[in-house]
Amino acid sequence: MLKKYFNLLLTILFFLTVTTQVVVAQNGVVNEAVQDEVTVYPNPVSDGKIYVSSSFDGSKYVEIYDVLGKKVSQAEVRANKPIDVGSLTPGVYIITINEKNYIVTRKLVVR
């Protein structure tokens, strides 16, 4: 039992380390200017709703993964529309935002 918790802790720490770097790519080329334009808030989330904002007003395709890599939520959203994460259990998640051929990856904490 202790070994399972230890392995889970190592997995979480690995993902926290990996996801602290934001990767923004278009056709395989990293674009540093876009990474600061995409914001996920509030983070950590406790009210069950998050917002994704950027300078691009078009639709965004959002996917949320747990620390084991399982997709737990997906949505297509427009600017200023909330994403419901109320069904997610408290923990750390990976969120990817795809817009205009750019993919941004962030860490999301649900309380």
Side-chain angles (χ1 to χ4, degrees):
M1 182 72 152
L2 183 60
K3 186 176 179 181
K4 288 171 73 175
Y5 286 116
F6 180 73
N7 287 338
L8 180 61
L9 179 63
L10 284 178
T11 303
I12 291 171
L13 289 175
F14 172 76
F15 276 104
L16 288 176
T17 304
V18 170
T19 58
T20 55
Q21 297 177 347
V22 178
V23 177
V24 182
Q26 180 182 26
N27 300 327
V29 178
V30 175
N31 187 335
E32 299 291 332
V34 176
Q35 72 183 3
D36 293 330
E37 294 179 12
V38 178
T39 306
V40 177
Y41 63 94
N43 194 5
V45 60
S46 57
D47 66 350
K49 299 211 182 293
I50 60 170
Y51 297 86
V52 177
S53 68
S54 70
S55 60
F56 177 63
D57 288 334
S59 64
K60 300 164 186 57
Y61 187 71
V62 178
E63 295 177 326
I64 301 174
Y65 298 89
D66 64 11
V67 293
L68 299 176
K70 178 182 173 190
K71 187 188 304 182
V72 294
S73 181
Q74 65 185 23
E76 187 170 346
V77 295
R78 290 214 169 258
N80 299 323
K81 300 290 183 192
I83 300 170
D84 183 22
V85 294
S87 63
L88 299 178
T89 58
V92 178
Y93 295 88
I94 310 303
I95 182 169
T96 61
I97 302 105
N98 187 344
E99 66 174 355
K100 270 180 67 175
N101 298 325
Y102 291 102
I103 299 174
V104 178
T105 303
R106 298 282 167 92
K107 177 177 66 171
L108 175 67
V109 178
V110 176
R111 291 191 177 175

